[in-house]
Amino acid sequence: MHYSVLLDESIKSLAIRGGGIYIDGTFGRGGHSRRILTGLTAGHLIAFDRDLAAIDYAKVHFAQALQSNQLSLVHAPFSTMAQHVESLGLTGKVDGILLDLGVSSPQLDEASRGFSFMKDGPLDMRMDQTKGLSAYDVISSYSDEDLAKIFRDYAEEKHAWRIAQTIKRALSEGQVLDSTLKLAQLIEKTIGKKEKKHPATRCFQALRICVNEELEELSKALMNAFQILCVSGRLAVISFHSLEDRIVKQFMTELIKGKQQHVPRGMPILEVFKPKARWIVKQGKSGAKELNENTRSRSAILRVIEKV
């Protein structure tokens, strides 16, 4: 079952107008899109997803909205939204954009996608399976130094170096680590189980971020999104781990407060910063009911700004 995290809060924060133009940058299984569509009359929703399974799902389950031209689908990363919107002549005319940065439940639950070690599957992790390196390609082709850097930078894994060395040594000795369980078991054997989380959790997160270039995509998407919003248009972002949230918070804060500059005492401030946005939701979290229904929502943070 797919559960759209912070659904009510995020849709409410967008303040949907019946005739507005909206973008769902992460369609998934369409939970947020469906709610946006119910608020539209003469408006239009453009939904992006780089996962072909999501696009195929939308074609079947959102056929009516597609046929009535209330919804259009784009099989592409959300970092490309500015180019697509520009091609439609809608730059500066978009009323609201939603980015839900979480991996969708179908991606996690479907063993063949390789996102989770809860079920055995190929070590893939690509959101767009038509291009790019898989997680297996990464552990096979990266050096132990580069692999350790991924585990450190993208998951703050304190055993990064030991895990990376163990993986590379195992591969050099002829072990085949082409499945999620094989890799997870090797990591567990390397560092042991000393906490509630499975010892492979952080490394799997790091590999997924690396494979899909998630942080780079996010930075591009945020800049693109703000560029194409109209004045009073809103940008809502739901993040699920500190690396994502740090990028989102810094981006939004700089639009509201400007970059923090250290001016020496006595020096004049030559330029007065004019805010480009204001907070609508500074830090929203799931309520008790949602947490009880969906444990995956526990780490979700919603931040929303309005362009001024």
Side-chain angles (χ1 to χ4, degrees), residues 148-168:
K149 188 175 190 307
I150 289 168
F151 295 152
R152 274 196 307 270
D153 292 355
Y154 294 159
E156 299 173 329
E157 172 55 68
K158 60 184 178 182
H159 302 292
W161 178 240
R162 184 145 57 101
I163 294 169
Q165 282 189 310
T166 302
I167 290 171
K168 298 305 293 187

Side-chain angles (χ1 to χ4, degrees), residues 18 29 53 62 65 70 73 75 105 113 125 144 155 159 164 175-176 182 191 204 213 218 232 238 247 255 272 280 300:
R29 286 301 179 268
F62 287 74
Q70 195 178 39
L73 293 172
H75 176 228
S105 296
R113 301 303 301 272
M125 300 194 194
D144 49 5
H159 302 292
Q175 286 190 46
V176 181
K182 287 175 184 175
I191 63 174
F204 268 63
E213 299 181 331
L218 174 58
S232 298
I238 303 170
I247 292 171
L255 289 171
V272 177
I280 298 300

Side-chain angles (χ1 to χ4, degrees), residues 23-42:
I23 292 175
D24 184 348
T26 45
F27 179 82
R29 286 301 179 268
H32 291 104
S33 281
R34 193 179 299 280
R35 191 69 70 83
I36 292 171
L37 286 167
T38 61
L40 297 182
T41 51

Side-chain angles (χ1 to χ4, degrees), residues 15 34 50 90 113 145 165 202 240 276 301:
R34 193 179 299 280
R50 50 178 167 170
L90 296 174
R113 301 303 301 272
E145 291 93 345
Q165 282 189 310
R202 284 184 288 270
F240 287 82
K276 298 178 178 66
I301 294 177

Side-chain angles (χ1 to χ4, degrees), residues 15-304:
I16 306 295
R17 294 191 309 104
I21 298 167
Y22 294 88
I23 292 175
D24 184 348
T26 45
F27 179 82
R29 286 301 179 268
H32 291 104
S33 281
R34 193 179 299 280
R35 191 69 70 83
I36 292 171
L37 286 167
T38 61
L40 297 182
T41 51
H44 189 75
L45 172 64
I46 306 168
F48 287 78
D49 208 299
R50 50 178 167 170
D51 188 338
L52 265 177
I55 299 296
D56 290 341
Y57 180 92
K59 288 176 181 177
V60 174
H61 294 87
F62 287 74
Q64 186 175 343
L66 288 164
Q67 289 165 8
S68 65
N69 201 34
Q70 195 178 39
L71 169 68
S72 57
L73 293 172
V74 184
H75 176 228
F78 56 26
S79 63
T80 65
M81 71 175 79
Q83 296 97 297
H84 184 78
V85 167
E86 184 179 1
S87 72
L88 299 174
L90 296 174
T91 301
K93 298 177 182 178
V94 176
D95 294 277
I97 300 170
L98 174 65
L99 305 178
D100 175 359
L101 306 179
V103 181
S104 72
S105 296
Q107 287 172 330
L108 287 170
D109 296 338
E110 192 177 324
S112 65
R113 301 303 301 272
F115 283 99
S116 171
F117 47 78
M118 300 305 289
K119 299 174 184 175
D120 199 19
L123 196 61
D124 194 322
M125 300 194 194
R126 289 173 298 168
M127 290 180 180
D128 184 347
Q129 291 179 298
T130 67
K131 61 184 70 170
L133 297 177
S134 68
Y136 178 69
D137 294 330
V138 169
I139 66 168
S140 300
S141 62
Y142 281 38
S143 67
D144 49 5
E145 291 93 345
D146 289 338
L147 208 50
K149 188 175 190 307
I150 289 168
F151 295 152
R152 274 196 307 270
D153 292 355
Y154 294 159
E156 299 173 329
E157 172 55 68
K158 60 184 178 182
H159 302 292
W161 178 240
R162 184 145 57 101
I163 294 169
Q165 282 189 310
T166 302
I167 290 171
K168 298 305 293 187
R169 183 165 57 249
L171 289 168
S172 70
E173 292 171 354
Q175 286 190 46
V176 181
L177 300 176
D178 59 352
S179 80
T180 55
L181 283 187
K182 287 175 184 175
L183 180 60
Q185 288 165 358
L186 179 66
I187 294 170
E188 183 173 8
K189 186 178 176 183
T190 303
I191 63 174
K193 192 168 185 178
K194 301 172 184 176
E195 51 187 84
K196 287 183 179 179
K197 279 185 180 179
H198 191 285
T201 301
R202 284 184 288 270
C203 290
F204 268 63
Q205 172 186 300
L207 284 170
R208 191 201 79 219
I209 291 171
C210 172
V211 164
N212 297 292
E213 299 181 331
E214 291 179 26
L215 302 185
E216 296 86 350
E217 285 288 315
L218 174 58
S219 294
K220 290 178 192 173
L222 291 171
M223 288 186 286
N224 283 346
F226 196 74
Q227 173 191 336
I228 62 180
L229 280 175
C230 66
V231 174
S232 298
R234 294 185 177 185
L235 170 62
V237 185
I238 303 170
S239 60
F240 287 82
H241 57 76
S242 59
L243 295 173
E244 290 174 339
D245 185 54
R246 195 176 302 139
I247 292 171
V248 175
K249 183 180 178 181
Q250 182 177 339
F251 174 81
M252 292 182 170
T253 301
E254 286 183 1
L255 289 171
I256 293 166
K257 293 185 176 180
K259 286 189 177 182
Q260 296 300 309
Q261 296 179 336
H262 298 286
V263 180
R265 185 175 294 179
M267 291 290 289
I269 298 174
L270 300 177
E271 186 177 334
V272 177
F273 174 77
K274 293 181 179 178
K276 298 178 178 66
R278 69 181 185 94
W279 286 114
I280 298 300
V281 179
K282 195 168 185 179
Q283 183 176 344
K285 293 191 176 183
S286 299
K289 183 176 182 293
E290 181 171 358
L291 289 170
N292 187 53
E293 292 174 354
N294 178 30
T295 56
R296 287 176 182 168
S297 67
R298 66 186 179 275
S299 58
I301 294 177
L302 170 67
R303 298 188 190 275
V304 187

